[in-house]
């Protein structure tokens, strides 16, 4: 049986990214992203907004981009996978934490990553499957389109007359 471990998060950073470097020199970035939704309280009928916090980790070039361009309040779209890890707290109690390991990231909003249109097609997409990362896009002015005359519409064929079913033979095999 096939399985899928995929997460998509669209939200805002609750704090500036934390950047660290491994002994190999590879970057690791951690962010906390808030998502919220509205629900109606069953007892009072009052609308409530509920916020959920997500820990997201980035590695390599993607982590460097996160550290360079994102800040508290930035809107971000992240695709990744869930990973649960086991750790021991300061009191010696074993605990589990589930994090999102980012594979793709897209900055939303304006150039500063805040405010503006939250459309997801602003050209600030980074990441890729299998560890390969795309270079940041180069923005260029679009080339002017040449003016072309619209082609003449093709002539329509003359309508065919409706079939005359009374001319059909009765030797249909069914």
């Amino acid at each position: 049986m096939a399985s899928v471990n995929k997460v998509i998060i669209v939200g805002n950073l609750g704090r500036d990214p934390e950047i660290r470097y491994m002994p190999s020199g590879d970057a690791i970035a951690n962010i906390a992203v808030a998502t919220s939704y509205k629900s109606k309280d069953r007892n009072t009928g009052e609308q409530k907004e509920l916020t959920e916090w997500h820990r997201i980790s980035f590695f390599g070039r993607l982590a460097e981009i996160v550290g360079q361009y994102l800040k508290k309040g930035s809107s971000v779209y992240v695709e990744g996978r869930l990973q649960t890890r086991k750790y021991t707290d300061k009191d010696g109690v074993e605990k589990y934490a589930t994090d999102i390991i980012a594979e793709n990231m897209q900055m939303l909003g304006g150039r500063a990553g805040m405010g503006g249109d939250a459309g997801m097609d602003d050209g600030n997409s980074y990441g890729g499957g299998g560890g390969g990362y795309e270079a940041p896009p180069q923005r260029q002015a679009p080339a002017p389109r040449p003016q072309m005359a619209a082609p003449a519409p093709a002539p329509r064929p003359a309508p065919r007359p409706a079939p005359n079913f009374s001319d059909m033979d009765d030797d249909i095999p069914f």
Side-chain angles (χ1 to χ4, degrees):
M1 174 186 269
S3 64
V4 176
N5 181 356
K6 181 147 183 137
V7 177
I8 297 175
I9 298 290
V10 178
N12 298 316
L13 272 68
R15 55 182 158 78
D16 289 339
E18 296 174 3
I19 308 298
R20 295 175 311 192
Y21 291 90
M22 296 191 299
S24 64
D26 289 338
I28 300 172
N30 293 307
I31 63 174
V33 174
T35 58
S36 59
Y37 62 96
K38 293 182 180 181
S39 69
K40 194 178 222 182
D41 187 297
R42 290 183 181 178
N43 298 329
T44 64
E46 182 181 333
Q47 282 280 356
K48 290 186 177 181
E49 185 171 358
L50 303 169
T51 301
E52 187 75 29
W53 288 94
H54 310 276
R55 288 186 307 249
I56 304 175
S57 298
F58 298 84
F59 296 92
R61 179 71 181 129
L62 196 53
E64 293 172 4
I65 292 168
V66 165
Q68 185 175 1
Y69 293 104
L70 295 182
K71 61 183 178 179
K72 180 179 179 178
S74 297
S75 295
V76 69
Y77 168 95
V78 177
E79 289 182 18
R81 60 184 167 83
L82 291 176
Q83 181 174 306
T84 302
R85 59 186 168 86
K86 179 178 168 182
Y87 67 97
T88 305
D89 70 3
K90 63 182 179 181
D91 298 326
V93 178
E94 287 186 353
K95 295 189 175 185
Y96 293 88
T98 301
D99 298 325
I100 297 169
I101 306 301
E103 295 169 352
N104 292 302
M105 181 271 299
Q106 191 168 18
M107 295 177 279
L108 304 176
R111 284 221 177 245
M114 296 178 64
D117 181 16
M120 292 176 19
D121 190 20
D122 63 355
N124 295 326
S125 178
Y126 303 101
Y133 299 104
E134 300 172 15
Q138 299 295 320
R139 296 204 183 243
Q140 298 177 355
R145 294 186 181 195
Q147 297 294 327
M148 298 176 60
R156 292 186 168 210
R160 293 189 296 182
N164 186 354
F165 293 109
S166 62
D167 293 342
M168 297 181 111
D169 293 332
D170 276 340
D171 40 37
I172 297 176
F174 53 91

